[in-house]
Each structure stands twice: as structure tokens, then as C-alpha cells.
Amino acid sequence: MNCEAYFCERFEELRKEGRYRVFADLEREVGGFPRATLHCRGEKKQVTVWCSNDYLGMGQHPAILAAMHEALDRCGAGAGGTRNISGTNHYHVMLERELADLHDKEDALLFTSGYVSNWAALGTLASCIPGCVVLSDALNHASMIEGMRGSRAPVRIFAHNDPADLARKLAELDRDTPKLVAFESVYSMDGDIAPIAELCDAAEAYGALTYLDEVHAVGLYGRHGGRIAAQQGLSDRLSVIEGTLAKRFGGVGGYIAASAALCDFVRSYSSGFFFTTALPPHVAAGALASVRYLKSSFVERDNMQGRVALLRRWLDDVGVPHLRNPSHIVPVMVGDADLCKHISDVLLDK
């Protein structure tokens, strides 16, 4: 088999389907977000980034940058190893304590990305709990699906945001079968929010653990910007809360927050945790500063919600269809590149 030719054939198929990925070579500008410099064909031009997930602009916040510079000067560039050998830096420990407090949980466990935290935690729990069956929302993120798939545990899909269908699927299982219900709070494609309380009702009725991905909510909703579960007073009903440090906290990394025993179980059995070099100390220091700052500052969250409402009004004014939802995510239903540029120019003029 000519593998090179096969690769090229598949690329052509992706192009015909409109699914071939082209990456923009961007240089973000501190102090000018969401402006950036686009490098293209040897030329540079200024652009506006409309799809950043640095929701609060914390990636350029002076307090976060100062914390990172201080840790870089103090600890150097890298962690020096995996967490179980020599890579557990004091910044990691402090950040885990802060994240546990943010989510009203006993403990937290830090990973190198949100994708890895879902893949490693879900995969470990589902594979290591004897006879575990996972019940997954139909629109769960790819990282969650990958964790379930890698666990080789049986997976049953319930209809998106449908507690009644979840209850039906749970009722089909033996009462003594270990069960894990996995879902998200805010779904990134449509921006809809899960009925967390009702899903917890169904899970509790059948003795199931609950796993909530709060990646697109943490830092934006609830007391101290915790997340949707905190806003609704449901933290104690969730077995695991998963989040990221790469969106509203402006850095990189992922984590889970749960009971001390569950975190220690994942820490002890997850190859995705203990075989990976730890996050650099300055990255953890920046995340720590961001989490602490957003626990007490509401200005950034209030500004974001105001701008979301303003953007929706502007889209209505220029006749651009967009999905209505209760979250901060604004899915715009426009596919033509020229039209997108025209709309961008009109909005920027506003």
C-alpha cells in the first residue's frame, strides 16, 4: 500500500466535503485582544478574532502575567518530571487546593489539558470500577467519548439533555450494576445548558455516579465564578466536576474536583496522569493567580455578559441568524466566507 498516496486521497475527500482544516497563523497582541496579527503567505495583516475562548481576556491580565514571570524566574521553564517522580511543584499543590475550594469539593487533580482530564478521568473510572456501565449524553465532547471508548466499558447513549430518557436507560440495568452518568453543563456548539438537577435526580434514583464537564462554564457563572452547578446549588450532588484552565482563566491545563478518595483513585490508576510530564510551574502559577482573582472580581464576568447581549442585538440589527440560548455562547448560522467578512466589518463599525 502506498500510504503517502492514501493520505493525499483522504485529504482530497476532506476538501470536497468542506472539512479540511486550515490553521490561521496568528500572533495575539497583549493589550489589544481580540486583535491579532495574521501571518499569511509572507505577509502580515491585522485581524479581529471572533472565536477566541479566552472569554474574559485573562490571557493578557497584568496580575496573571506578573505571577507567571515571578514563577518563571523562581522555578525555571519546566516542571522537571512527571508528578509521581519530581514534577510536583508547590504551585501545582496550591492550584489543586484552590480548585477544590472553587468547586466545594474535598480535593482536585491537575492535568495537562481539559481534553486529557476528561480522557484520563472518565477512562480510569469506567475501566477500573468492576462492571461499570457509562451513560453518556448524545452530544458529549470528543474528549469524553474518547475516555469512554478507551475504558472498554459498556456505554449507553441517552437523548441530549433528556432526564426521562436517562431514567429509562438506567431502569434497564441491574440495580447493583455500577453506573456512571456523564454530561456537560454548557454545550459549546449550541450553547444550551443541561437540566443538571433533573439529571442528578435520575442518577440518584438508580445509585449512579455523576460526572459533569463544566469546561465552558467554570469562571463565568455562580458564586465566585465557580460554574453552573454552583449557581444552581448542586455541587454536592455531583460526584466529579471537570474543568479547564484554558478558557476564562486564560492559560492551559485541565482538572477534576471530587472527593479526596476519588481524586486519589484517579491519581493512583490513571496512566494519563502519572506518565505525563507536569505542567510548567509558571503555567500553574498563572492559573492560580487567575482563579484567585476571578473569585473576587465580578467586573470581567459582568462585562462579558453585557457584550454577549450587545452582540446578539447587533446580529439582529444586521439580520444575521443565531441560535437563542441561555449561555454566553453565540452560534452564528453563516457559512459563506465573504458574507462573514462583511458582517464582521459591519459589527466592527458599530
Side-chain angles (χ1 to χ4, degrees):
M1 179 181 179
N2 186 333
C3 290
E4 293 294 320
Y6 171 73
F7 298 153
C8 292
E9 289 173 7
R10 294 302 300 270
F11 293 152
E12 193 58 36
E13 290 176 12
L14 288 175
R15 289 189 180 95
K16 289 178 180 177
E17 295 169 0
R19 296 192 299 117
Y20 182 76
R21 299 175 187 271
V22 178
F23 300 105
D25 182 354
L26 297 171
E27 186 178 338
R28 298 217 291 170
E29 302 172 1
V30 170
F33 291 3
R35 302 285 187 177
T37 300
L38 174 66
H39 296 257
C40 184
R41 300 184 182 92
E43 298 181 356
K44 300 179 183 179
K45 69 175 182 178
Q46 297 299 110
V47 297
T48 300
V49 180
W50 288 94
C51 52
S52 171
N53 62 18
D54 186 358
Y55 296 133
L56 304 181
M58 298 304 289
Q60 64 179 354
H61 195 284
I64 281 69
L65 298 183
M68 296 181 75
H69 280 296
E70 180 183 351
L72 187 62
D73 291 338
R74 177 179 298 187
C75 300
T82 62
R83 289 286 301 274
N84 63 308
I85 299 177
S86 61
T88 295
N89 190 276
H90 189 53
Y91 285 110
H92 298 135
V93 176
M94 290 191 291
L95 178 55
E96 286 173 339
R97 290 172 182 166
E98 202 71 34
L99 291 168
D101 178 73
L102 179 69
H103 291 285
D104 300 317
K105 294 296 184 183
E106 290 181 343
D107 205 355
L109 192 63
L110 187 63
F111 293 85
T112 51
S113 74
Y115 191 104
V116 171
S117 57
N118 266 335
W119 165 71
L122 272 172
T124 299
L125 292 170
S127 64
C128 293
I129 297 175
C132 183
V133 175
V134 182
L135 295 102
S136 173
D137 186 284
L139 296 187
N140 274 341
H141 190 265
S143 57
M144 302 174 76
I145 295 170
E146 194 65 26
M148 299 172 207
R149 182 184 294 136
S151 74
R152 300 186 179 180
V155 178
R156 301 200 177 187
I157 310 298
F158 63 91
H160 178 54
N161 282 348
D162 190 337
D165 190 51
L166 171 61
R168 284 191 292 271
K169 297 289 195 304
L170 287 164
E172 294 169 358
L173 300 172
D174 187 277
R175 184 77 187 184
D176 294 330
T177 297
K179 296 169 279 286
L180 175 61
V181 178
F183 55 100
E184 302 179 41
S185 59
V186 178
Y187 286 83
S188 61
M189 298 307 292
D190 291 346
D192 54 336
I193 295 178
I196 300 175
E198 290 82 358
L199 292 171
C200 286
D201 288 342
E204 290 166 2
Y206 293 93
L209 296 173
T210 47
Y211 185 105
L212 178 65
D213 178 320
E214 288 261 42
V215 158
H216 285 279
V218 66
L220 301 178
Y221 302 89
R223 182 176 61 87
H224 304 313
R227 65 279 178 221
I228 296 291
Q231 185 183 53
Q232 298 179 2
L234 300 171
S235 300
D236 61 331
R237 300 183 65 185
L238 294 154
S239 308
V240 184
I241 297 173
E242 185 268 349
T244 183
L245 303 166
K247 300 189 189 317
R248 82 282 313 134
F249 293 128
V252 67
Y255 63 88
I256 61 169
S259 69
L262 191 149
C263 287
D264 199 15
F265 185 83
V266 174
R267 183 186 69 86
S268 300
Y269 286 95
S270 173
S271 62
F273 174 79
F274 55 71
F275 284 137
T276 301
T277 295
L279 285 172
H282 67 278
V283 172
L288 176 63
S290 187
V291 173
R292 285 176 173 172
Y293 176 87
L294 289 174
K295 278 183 174 180
S296 58
S297 176
F298 299 91
V299 173
E300 291 79 10
R301 292 194 287 277
D302 291 343
N303 285 344
M304 184 205 69
Q305 296 295 353
R307 286 167 184 168
V308 168
L310 182 60
L311 176 59
R312 290 186 183 278
R313 289 199 300 271
W314 284 352
L315 291 171
D316 289 338
D317 289 345
V318 297
V320 177
H322 55 98
L323 292 181
R324 306 288 176 178
N325 61 54
S327 77
H328 60 283
I329 295 174
V330 185
V332 178
M333 295 178 283
V334 176
D336 183 84
D338 291 334
L339 181 56
C340 286
K341 185 179 185 307
H342 171 70
I343 293 168
S344 177
D345 291 341
V346 170
L347 295 177
L348 287 174
D349 287 341
K350 287 179 172 285

mmCIF file of all heavy atoms in Angstrom, residues 47-77:
data_model
loop_
_atom_site.group_PDB
_atom_site.id
_atom_site.type_symbol
_atom_site.label_atom_id
_atom_site.label_comp_id
_atom_site.label_asym_id
_atom_site.label_seq_id
_atom_site.Cartn_x
_atom_site.Cartn_y
_atom_site.Cartn_z
ATOM 1 N N VAL A 47 -6.027 41.496 12.191
ATOM 2 C CA VAL A 47 -7.341 40.853 12.131
ATOM 3 C C VAL A 47 -8.004 40.926 13.503
ATOM 4 O O VAL A 47 -7.354 41.197 14.515
ATOM 5 C CB VAL A 47 -7.236 39.374 11.684
ATOM 6 C CG1 VAL A 47 -6.687 39.264 10.274
ATOM 7 C CG2 VAL A 47 -6.385 38.568 12.667
ATOM 8 N N THR A 48 -9.312 40.681 13.517
ATOM 9 C CA THR A 48 -10.065 40.562 14.763
ATOM 10 C C THR A 48 -10.481 39.107 14.928
ATOM 11 O O THR A 48 -11.062 38.516 14.011
ATOM 12 C CB THR A 48 -11.313 41.461 14.745
ATOM 13 O OG1 THR A 48 -10.911 42.815 14.586
ATOM 14 C CG2 THR A 48 -12.090 41.311 16.041
ATOM 15 N N VAL A 49 -10.178 38.519 16.067
ATOM 16 C CA VAL A 49 -10.507 37.115 16.335
ATOM 17 C C VAL A 49 -11.872 37.056 17.025
ATOM 18 O O VAL A 49 -12.016 37.481 18.179
ATOM 19 C CB VAL A 49 -9.428 36.457 17.220
ATOM 20 C CG1 VAL A 49 -9.796 34.996 17.494
ATOM 21 C CG2 VAL A 49 -8.064 36.554 16.550
ATOM 22 N N TRP A 50 -12.869 36.513 16.318
ATOM 23 C CA TRP A 50 -14.228 36.447 16.840
ATOM 24 C C TRP A 50 -14.523 35.132 17.564
ATOM 25 O O TRP A 50 -15.588 34.969 18.160
ATOM 26 C CB TRP A 50 -15.239 36.614 15.698
ATOM 27 C CG TRP A 50 -15.304 38.011 15.171
ATOM 28 C CD1 TRP A 50 -14.610 38.518 14.098
ATOM 29 C CD2 TRP A 50 -16.090 39.088 15.683
ATOM 30 N NE1 TRP A 50 -14.913 39.841 13.925
ATOM 31 C CE2 TRP A 50 -15.822 40.225 14.877
ATOM 32 C CE3 TRP A 50 -16.984 39.206 16.744
ATOM 33 C CZ2 TRP A 50 -16.426 41.458 15.107
ATOM 34 C CZ3 TRP A 50 -17.584 40.437 16.958
ATOM 35 C CH2 TRP A 50 -17.307 41.549 16.151
ATOM 36 N N CYS A 51 -13.598 34.184 17.499
ATOM 37 C CA CYS A 51 -13.906 32.846 18.016
ATOM 38 C C CYS A 51 -12.986 32.423 19.154
ATOM 39 O O CYS A 51 -12.859 31.236 19.453
ATOM 40 C CB CYS A 51 -13.822 31.821 16.887
ATOM 41 S SG CYS A 51 -12.280 31.889 15.956
ATOM 42 N N SER A 52 -12.343 33.364 19.829
ATOM 43 C CA SER A 52 -11.467 33.011 20.947
ATOM 44 C C SER A 52 -12.284 32.477 22.115
ATOM 45 O O SER A 52 -13.401 32.928 22.370
ATOM 46 C CB SER A 52 -10.686 34.247 21.401
ATOM 47 O OG SER A 52 -9.996 33.985 22.608
ATOM 48 N N ASN A 53 -11.711 31.511 22.831
ATOM 49 C CA ASN A 53 -12.366 31.043 24.057
ATOM 50 C C ASN A 53 -11.710 31.627 25.313
ATOM 51 O O ASN A 53 -11.993 31.194 26.420
ATOM 52 C CB ASN A 53 -12.397 29.508 24.120
ATOM 53 C CG ASN A 53 -11.017 28.880 24.154
ATOM 54 O OD1 ASN A 53 -10.029 29.532 24.447
ATOM 55 N ND2 ASN A 53 -10.941 27.591 23.852
ATOM 56 N N ASP A 54 -10.850 32.625 25.129
ATOM 57 C CA ASP A 54 -10.317 33.384 26.262
ATOM 58 C C ASP A 54 -11.391 34.407 26.627
ATOM 59 O O ASP A 54 -11.257 35.612 26.410
ATOM 60 C CB ASP A 54 -9.014 34.073 25.852
ATOM 61 C CG ASP A 54 -8.307 34.761 27.013
ATOM 62 O OD1 ASP A 54 -8.850 34.727 28.141
ATOM 63 O OD2 ASP A 54 -7.225 35.338 26.794
ATOM 64 N N TYR A 55 -12.494 33.889 27.190
ATOM 65 C CA TYR A 55 -13.733 34.646 27.325
ATOM 66 C C TYR A 55 -13.578 35.972 28.074
ATOM 67 O O TYR A 55 -14.260 36.948 27.773
ATOM 68 C CB TYR A 55 -14.791 33.805 28.057
ATOM 69 C CG TYR A 55 -15.223 32.558 27.337
ATOM 70 C CD1 TYR A 55 -15.311 31.343 28.011
ATOM 71 C CD2 TYR A 55 -15.554 32.583 25.990
ATOM 72 C CE1 TYR A 55 -15.716 30.189 27.357
ATOM 73 C CE2 TYR A 55 -15.955 31.439 25.330
ATOM 74 C CZ TYR A 55 -16.036 30.236 26.020
ATOM 75 O OH TYR A 55 -16.440 29.105 25.372
ATOM 76 N N LEU A 56 -12.707 36.001 29.072
ATOM 77 C CA LEU A 56 -12.589 37.175 29.922
ATOM 78 C C LEU A 56 -11.309 37.962 29.671
ATOM 79 O O LEU A 56 -11.021 38.927 30.379
ATOM 80 C CB LEU A 56 -12.661 36.768 31.397
ATOM 81 C CG LEU A 56 -13.902 35.986 31.816
ATOM 82 C CD1 LEU A 56 -13.860 35.677 33.307
ATOM 83 C CD2 LEU A 56 -15.179 36.738 31.463
ATOM 84 N N GLY A 57 -10.534 37.538 28.674
ATOM 85 C CA GLY A 57 -9.293 38.233 28.379
ATOM 86 C C GLY A 57 -8.220 38.065 29.429
ATOM 87 O O GLY A 57 -7.283 38.864 29.507
ATOM 88 N N MET A 58 -8.332 36.995 30.239
ATOM 89 C CA MET A 58 -7.353 36.808 31.315
ATOM 90 C C MET A 58 -5.968 36.438 30.786
ATOM 91 O O MET A 58 -4.977 36.533 31.520
ATOM 92 C CB MET A 58 -7.853 35.739 32.290
ATOM 93 C CG MET A 58 -9.160 36.092 33.000
ATOM 94 S SD MET A 58 -9.100 37.654 33.893
ATOM 95 C CE MET A 58 -8.023 37.209 35.256
ATOM 96 N N GLY A 59 -5.890 36.030 29.534
ATOM 97 C CA GLY A 59 -4.594 35.708 28.944
ATOM 98 C C GLY A 59 -3.677 36.914 28.824
ATOM 99 O O GLY A 59 -2.481 36.757 28.542
ATOM 100 N N GLN A 60 -4.206 38.118 29.023
ATOM 101 C CA GLN A 60 -3.381 39.318 28.977
ATOM 102 C C GLN A 60 -3.461 40.131 30.270
ATOM 103 O O GLN A 60 -2.943 41.241 30.341
ATOM 104 C CB GLN A 60 -3.819 40.203 27.808
ATOM 105 C CG GLN A 60 -5.233 40.732 27.951
ATOM 106 C CD GLN A 60 -5.646 41.631 26.795
ATOM 107 O OE1 GLN A 60 -4.846 41.964 25.920
ATOM 108 N NE2 GLN A 60 -6.901 42.038 26.793
ATOM 109 N N HIS A 61 -4.079 39.575 31.316
ATOM 110 C CA HIS A 61 -4.277 40.337 32.547
ATOM 111 C C HIS A 61 -2.934 40.541 33.257
ATOM 112 O O HIS A 61 -2.163 39.594 33.444
ATOM 113 C CB HIS A 61 -5.245 39.609 33.478
ATOM 114 C CG HIS A 61 -5.770 40.466 34.579
ATOM 115 N ND1 HIS A 61 -5.019 40.798 35.687
ATOM 116 C CD2 HIS A 61 -6.970 41.084 34.744
ATOM 117 C CE1 HIS A 61 -5.724 41.572 36.479
ATOM 118 N NE2 HIS A 61 -6.916 41.772 35.927
ATOM 119 N N PRO A 62 -2.634 41.759 33.676
ATOM 120 C CA PRO A 62 -1.332 42.052 34.305
ATOM 121 C C PRO A 62 -1.031 41.186 35.529
ATOM 122 O O PRO A 62 0.126 40.783 35.736
ATOM 123 C CB PRO A 62 -1.460 43.528 34.707
ATOM 124 C CG PRO A 62 -2.468 44.097 33.762
ATOM 125 C CD PRO A 62 -3.446 42.983 33.506
ATOM 126 N N ALA A 63 -2.038 40.887 36.351
ATOM 127 C CA ALA A 63 -1.793 40.083 37.555
ATOM 128 C C ALA A 63 -1.368 38.670 37.192
ATOM 129 O O ALA A 63 -0.500 38.079 37.864
ATOM 130 C CB ALA A 63 -3.052 40.060 38.424
ATOM 131 N N ILE A 64 -1.948 38.122 36.140
ATOM 132 C CA ILE A 64 -1.622 36.762 35.711
ATOM 133 C C ILE A 64 -0.226 36.740 35.096
ATOM 134 O O ILE A 64 0.605 35.871 35.390
ATOM 135 C CB ILE A 64 -2.680 36.222 34.729
ATOM 136 C CG1 ILE A 64 -3.912 35.751 35.493
ATOM 137 C CG2 ILE A 64 -2.126 35.054 33.921
ATOM 138 C CD1 ILE A 64 -4.737 36.821 36.133
ATOM 139 N N LEU A 65 0.065 37.714 34.237
ATOM 140 C CA LEU A 65 1.390 37.775 33.611
ATOM 141 C C LEU A 65 2.476 37.987 34.663
ATOM 142 O O LEU A 65 3.554 37.378 34.585
ATOM 143 C CB LEU A 65 1.425 38.905 32.582
ATOM 144 C CG LEU A 65 0.456 38.765 31.402
ATOM 145 C CD1 LEU A 65 0.654 39.922 30.422
ATOM 146 C CD2 LEU A 65 0.636 37.436 30.693
ATOM 147 N N ALA A 66 2.213 38.807 35.667
ATOM 148 C CA ALA A 66 3.201 39.050 36.730
ATOM 149 C C ALA A 66 3.478 37.777 37.521
ATOM 150 O O ALA A 66 4.634 37.478 37.854
ATOM 151 C CB ALA A 66 2.701 40.157 37.657
ATOM 152 N N ALA A 67 2.408 37.014 37.822
ATOM 153 C CA ALA A 67 2.579 35.760 38.566
ATOM 154 C C ALA A 67 3.402 34.759 37.767
ATOM 155 O O ALA A 67 4.246 34.037 38.327
ATOM 156 C CB ALA A 67 1.212 35.171 38.902
ATOM 157 N N MET A 68 3.185 34.728 36.469
ATOM 158 C CA MET A 68 3.932 33.802 35.617
ATOM 159 C C MET A 68 5.399 34.202 35.528
ATOM 160 O O MET A 68 6.288 33.342 35.591
ATOM 161 C CB MET A 68 3.288 33.735 34.229
ATOM 162 C CG MET A 68 1.886 33.163 34.236
ATOM 163 S SD MET A 68 1.136 33.043 32.596
ATOM 164 C CE MET A 68 2.023 31.636 31.928
ATOM 165 N N HIS A 69 5.674 35.496 35.389
ATOM 166 C CA HIS A 69 7.057 35.970 35.332
ATOM 167 C C HIS A 69 7.783 35.649 36.646
ATOM 168 O O HIS A 69 8.941 35.205 36.633
ATOM 169 C CB HIS A 69 7.085 37.476 35.082
ATOM 170 C CG HIS A 69 6.884 37.850 33.645
ATOM 171 N ND1 HIS A 69 7.765 37.502 32.649
ATOM 172 C CD2 HIS A 69 5.879 38.543 33.035
ATOM 173 C CE1 HIS A 69 7.342 37.962 31.489
ATOM 174 N NE2 HIS A 69 6.189 38.591 31.686
ATOM 175 N N GLU A 70 7.115 35.861 37.766
ATOM 176 C CA GLU A 70 7.739 35.592 39.063
ATOM 177 C C GLU A 70 8.080 34.108 39.213
ATOM 178 O O GLU A 70 9.187 33.753 39.652
ATOM 179 C CB GLU A 70 6.799 36.016 40.189
ATOM 180 C CG GLU A 70 7.375 35.769 41.576
ATOM 181 C CD GLU A 70 6.409 36.114 42.697
ATOM 182 O OE1 GLU A 70 5.350 36.714 42.415
ATOM 183 O OE2 GLU A 70 6.720 35.769 43.856
ATOM 184 N N ALA A 71 7.126 33.229 38.834
ATOM 185 C CA ALA A 71 7.370 31.788 38.952
ATOM 186 C C ALA A 71 8.438 31.327 37.973
ATOM 187 O O ALA A 71 9.245 30.439 38.288
ATOM 188 C CB ALA A 71 6.067 31.033 38.709
ATOM 189 N N LEU A 72 8.469 31.921 36.790
ATOM 190 C CA LEU A 72 9.492 31.565 35.797
ATOM 191 C C LEU A 72 10.880 31.917 36.314
ATOM 192 O O LEU A 72 11.828 31.121 36.201
ATOM 193 C CB LEU A 72 9.205 32.299 34.489
ATOM 194 C CG LEU A 72 10.061 31.923 33.280
ATOM 195 C CD1 LEU A 72 9.867 30.452 32.916
ATOM 196 C CD2 LEU A 72 9.705 32.802 32.087
ATOM 197 N N ASP A 73 11.003 33.081 36.918
ATOM 198 C CA ASP A 73 12.299 33.492 37.474
ATOM 199 C C ASP A 73 12.690 32.643 38.678
ATOM 200 O O ASP A 73 13.872 32.397 38.920
ATOM 201 C CB ASP A 73 12.244 34.967 37.896
ATOM 202 C CG ASP A 73 12.137 35.906 36.704
ATOM 203 O OD1 ASP A 73 12.507 35.490 35.591
ATOM 204 O OD2 ASP A 73 11.673 37.050 36.886
ATOM 205 N N ARG A 74 11.696 32.177 39.430
ATOM 206 C CA ARG A 74 11.971 31.425 40.641
ATOM 207 C C ARG A 74 12.243 29.948 40.355
ATOM 208 O O ARG A 74 13.146 29.344 40.942
ATOM 209 C CB ARG A 74 10.790 31.548 41.611
ATOM 210 C CG ARG A 74 10.950 30.733 42.883
ATOM 211 C CD ARG A 74 9.767 30.910 43.816
ATOM 212 N NE ARG A 74 9.624 32.300 44.244
ATOM 213 C CZ ARG A 74 8.758 32.710 45.161
ATOM 214 N NH1 ARG A 74 7.952 31.838 45.740
ATOM 215 N NH2 ARG A 74 8.686 33.971 45.496
ATOM 216 N N CYS A 75 11.446 29.335 39.445
ATOM 217 C CA CYS A 75 11.487 27.881 39.260
ATOM 218 C C CYS A 75 12.041 27.425 37.917
ATOM 219 O O CYS A 75 12.281 26.229 37.725
ATOM 220 C CB CYS A 75 10.079 27.298 39.418
ATOM 221 S SG CYS A 75 9.322 27.600 41.012
ATOM 222 N N GLY A 76 12.215 28.344 36.972
ATOM 223 C CA GLY A 76 12.691 27.936 35.660
ATOM 224 C C GLY A 76 11.552 27.549 34.742
ATOM 225 O O GLY A 76 10.378 27.708 35.065
ATOM 226 N N ALA A 77 11.914 26.991 33.569
ATOM 227 C CA ALA A 77 10.941 26.795 32.497
ATOM 228 C C ALA A 77 10.061 25.567 32.680
ATOM 229 O O ALA A 77 8.865 25.606 32.415
ATOM 230 C CB ALA A 77 11.663 26.716 31.156
#
